[in-house]
Amino acid sequence: MIREILRMGDPRLWQPSKPVARVPAPDLDALLADMRETMAAANGAGLAAPQIGVPLRVVIFGVDANPRYPEAPPVPYTELVNPVLTPLGDAIEEGWEGCLSVPGLRGVVPRYARLRYEPLDPQGRPIAREVDGFHARVVQHECDHLDGILYPMRMRDFSRFGFTDVLFPGTGVVDD
Ligand code: NI
């Protein structure tokens, strides 16, 4: 079922989410099915459970020919339960981000360039992946939602924050 995506200003987006207690579980599978459908309908690159009002540590992401991010390199579709992120090194990269909870806007956000993420998969098996670049950015953005953080709270330069169609006219980047 396609769920309503909460928008910035809704206090539920500022709340830290709780770990999922039981994995696998039918209610987790149902949550993930709704998240997949909701993300696909919105052309999102990722979605975190609190964005649909469910305060649990679950995120999904994946990028493949996305009209919201035509320049983005592909990121494999992935589902994370109770993820733990560990930065690898101190290197920071800046890059443009958008968010389905902040529709119509983009901003430049500093993120760790490389990190390891260690979640459970929906069957309860531990995963460990080391990633960099846009993949690392997407993971950090989505996992921030689990701590009640939206990307504008990470920004340092508000001269690089604005409406997508004003920032990128004629480039084919579409937004809500
Ligand atoms: Ni977001």
Side-chain angles (χ1 to χ4, degrees):
M1 184 175 67
I2 296 175
R3 307 272 290 260
E4 182 193 356
I5 298 175
L6 307 184
R7 288 181 302 141
M8 185 166 64
D10 190 306
R12 289 172 287 180
L13 289 169
W14 312 131
Q15 289 171 1
S17 291
K18 292 188 167 54
V20 178
R22 222 159 56 82
V23 191
D27 53 350
L28 175 62
D29 292 339
L31 170 63
L32 284 163
D34 282 359
M35 289 175 67
R36 284 192 294 270
E37 210 175 325
T38 302
M39 184 175 86
N43 285 319
L47 188 71
Q51 289 182 277
I52 58 168
V54 177
L56 290 173
R57 302 187 80 81
V58 178
V59 311
I60 66 173
F61 57 84
V63 180
D64 179 24
N66 188 318
R68 274 172 56 88
Y69 298 94
E71 305 293 322
V75 176
Y77 178 73
T78 306
E79 299 178 337
L80 310 183
V81 179
N82 301 341
V84 175
L85 307 192
T86 309
L88 299 173
D90 297 329
I92 301 289
E93 282 175 358
E94 294 192 321
W96 288 98
E97 295 186 17
C99 181
L100 296 174
S101 294
V102 191
L105 294 162
R106 297 293 166 99
V108 168
V109 185
R111 298 286 187 186
Y112 288 107
R114 296 186 64 225
L115 60 83
R116 177 189 305 120
Y117 61 93
E118 295 169 276
L120 300 178
D121 74 9
Q123 288 74 45
R125 296 177 296 227
I127 306 174
R129 258 192 205 160
E130 294 187 1
V131 296
D132 58 13
F134 190 66
H135 191 152
R137 175 172 301 280
V138 169
V139 174
Q140 288 169 88
H141 176 114
E142 295 311 325
C143 291
D144 263 356
H145 280 295
L146 307 180
D147 295 322
I149 297 168
L150 298 182
Y151 79 81
M153 298 159 74
R154 296 283 193 196
M155 291 184 60
R156 294 176 186 157
D157 177 2
F158 285 92
S159 72
R160 292 185 292 169
F161 184 47
F163 293 97
T164 309
D165 58 339
V166 178
L167 287 163
F168 307 112
T171 59
V173 179
V174 299
D175 216 331
D176 309 305

